[in-house]
Amino acid sequence: MMLSLPSYIRRPLLAMLLAGSFGCDKKSTPAPPVASPPPVVVSATFQNPLLPGGPDPFVAQKDGFYYYMHTLNNQLRIWKTRNMSGLAQAPSTVVWTPPANGAASGNLWAPELFFLDGKWYIYYTAGPNGTNLGLQRTWVLENASADPTTGTWVDKGRIYNPTADYWAIDGTVLEQNGNRYFLWSGHDGLNSIQRIYISQMSNPWTLTGPRVELTSPQYAWENVGPPYVNEGPEIIKHDNKTFLVYSASFCGSDSYALGLLTAAGTADPLLPGSWTKSAQPVFSQNPAARAYATGHNSFFKSKDGTGDWIIYHANSNPGEGCVERRNPRMQKFTWNADGSPNFGVPVPINTDITKPSGE
């Protein structure tokens, strides 16, 4: 005989049976706690050197990215990064491998990258394969891609002045008064003293008009050698002034240093009289910082655009010469009351430096 229960008793009883709580004292076991991931610690500092090696460092900026290059001798490679302090972790791309033979098949030096007239251009030094460096000249590559690490690089040939076609290295670009100029280090056809020259450009791969000498080794600190050298011209502008920073003395000496020419921002850069030369170096070796042969620099802005930075190469020990031991370093610089750059002294290696603002 089945016991008939009223519905107001059957329904709660069924719910208890389904829940497994009728006639027992079973308790649910709480889930084990989930460990929180460790906090991500983002360092506010970096240290020099940026890379173990990298002579002749150069930085270009566009669309929130930095594009970095240095001398590799047998190829051209571009590092792409959003943060210069993280250069060591940045991916790099080989964008040009020279032909096996010919006038630009070896000894690739000092590449520089510019975005001109809607295209990218690389200016670099090269000559025939081998140890004869007397045939070094400057060459141009072009890329129509928005990103210089992609697309195709087209060889535009040699950039030179046909009336003074001599040994030429370390090309860079100046834009002033609506015109574009090419600067480089070269010989005068009479001796091997390196001087800095300028010519106007009719397009990014062609020079027009005269070749004008702007500076040659003059002071004792420029004449540590031989050879006797002014090279590696770089341009920076500030307070309606144009500054040409160059490297002086033999790159293999510990005395390799930076010199300075100054012109008004509206002056004709083809006139030697437009430029004033500083009698003292503006940046030089600092043995206490393990910075020797400090030179061949370029410039860039911090990520937020508020800070000015110099990147240069140096040796970490005396007597290491003009080879791949030279490593890239960077530090912030300021401006003097007269508007000229104040690079200070090289910061010691393996020392914490505050990252560029915005990183």
Side-chain angles (χ1 to χ4, degrees):
M1 173 179 170
M2 295 185 64
L3 180 64
S4 178
L5 296 175
S7 62
Y8 67 86
I9 294 178
R10 288 199 312 271
R11 290 190 184 111
L13 183 62
L14 179 61
M16 292 173 67
L17 287 170
L18 291 174
S21 58
F22 181 74
C24 69
D25 193 25
K26 184 177 179 180
K27 297 181 180 179
S28 61
T29 302
V34 177
S36 299
V40 177
V41 178
V42 178
S43 174
T45 62
F46 71 96
Q47 295 186 353
N48 285 324
L50 300 173
L51 298 171
D56 313 328
F58 184 83
V59 177
Q61 292 174 257
K62 188 176 185 295
D63 300 332
F65 286 99
Y66 296 97
Y67 298 99
Y68 167 88
M69 303 186 76
H70 67 234
T71 291
L72 290 167
N73 289 302
N74 62 353
Q75 61 181 226
L76 299 178
R77 182 183 292 267
I78 298 176
W79 281 254
K80 180 180 179 180
T81 181
R82 289 191 180 274
N83 301 309
M84 276 301 297
S85 62
L87 182 63
Q89 290 76 48
S92 65
T93 304
V94 174
V95 297
W96 184 257
T97 301
N101 299 290
S105 56
N107 301 304
L108 278 63
W109 299 344
E112 299 202 0
L113 179 67
F114 292 87
F115 191 73
L116 306 172
D117 304 333
K119 296 181 180 180
W120 287 100
Y121 292 88
I122 293 176
Y123 298 92
Y124 69 102
T125 300
N129 255 321
T131 58
N132 180 8
L133 304 179
L135 297 176
Q136 293 291 91
R137 296 292 193 273
T138 48
W139 304 79
V140 188
L141 303 173
E142 179 188 74
N143 188 342
S145 174
D147 181 341
T149 64
T150 65
T152 301
W153 285 94
V154 177
D155 186 1
K156 303 297 287 185
R158 193 156 61 89
I159 183 168
Y160 66 103
N161 189 300
T163 65
D165 184 11
Y166 305 117
W167 193 84
I169 68 169
D170 297 354
T172 196
V173 175
L174 162 65
E175 293 182 301
Q176 185 144 314
N177 300 330
N179 297 314
R180 187 173 291 148
Y181 304 88
F182 193 66
L183 298 104
W184 73 97
S185 176
H187 295 165
D188 63 359
L190 301 174
N191 56 51
S192 61
I193 295 173
Q194 286 181 230
R195 310 157 191 270
I196 291 177
Y197 295 98
I198 185 172
S199 283
Q200 191 166 343
M201 306 172 79
S202 58
N203 60 44
W205 59 91
T206 308
L207 303 185
T208 184
R211 179 194 74 155
V212 177
E213 180 184 317
L214 295 184
T215 177
S216 64
Q218 174 183 357
Y219 300 106
W221 57 270
E222 298 179 283
N223 279 287
V224 180
Y228 308 114
V229 172
N230 281 181
E231 65 183 9
E234 293 295 330
I235 297 295
I236 188 169
K237 296 189 174 189
H238 182 72
D239 279 358
N240 300 314
K241 292 183 179 179
T242 299
F243 301 99
L244 191 166
V245 180
Y246 65 95
S247 301
S249 286
F250 174 46
C251 65
S253 79
D254 294 340
S255 298
Y256 198 56
L258 297 183
L260 183 71
L261 300 182
T262 303
T266 55
D268 183 349
L270 289 173
L271 298 177
S274 296
W275 299 91
T276 301
K277 184 173 182 175
S278 297
Q280 301 296 328
V282 292
F283 194 70
S284 56
Q285 65 171 313
N286 181 9
R290 294 186 63 190
Y292 302 88
T294 49
H296 208 117
N297 71 287
S298 71
F299 303 104
F300 64 91
K301 283 280 190 181
S302 61
K303 193 170 181 179
D304 65 2
T306 64
D308 293 294
W309 288 72
I310 181 173
I311 185 168
Y312 64 98
H313 74 227
N315 285 321
S316 299
N317 300 289
E320 289 188 328
C322 192
V323 294
E324 281 63 33
R325 292 189 184 94
R326 295 171 294 171
N327 48 69
R329 310 170 184 204
M330 70 184 199
Q331 61 189 67
K332 189 177 182 181
F333 69 93
T334 58
W335 300 93
N336 295 313
D338 65 357
S340 62
N342 185 339
F343 301 126
V345 297
V347 175
I349 63 171
N350 306 322
T351 299
D352 285 344
I353 302 170
T354 301
K355 289 180 179 179
S357 51
E359 293 193 7

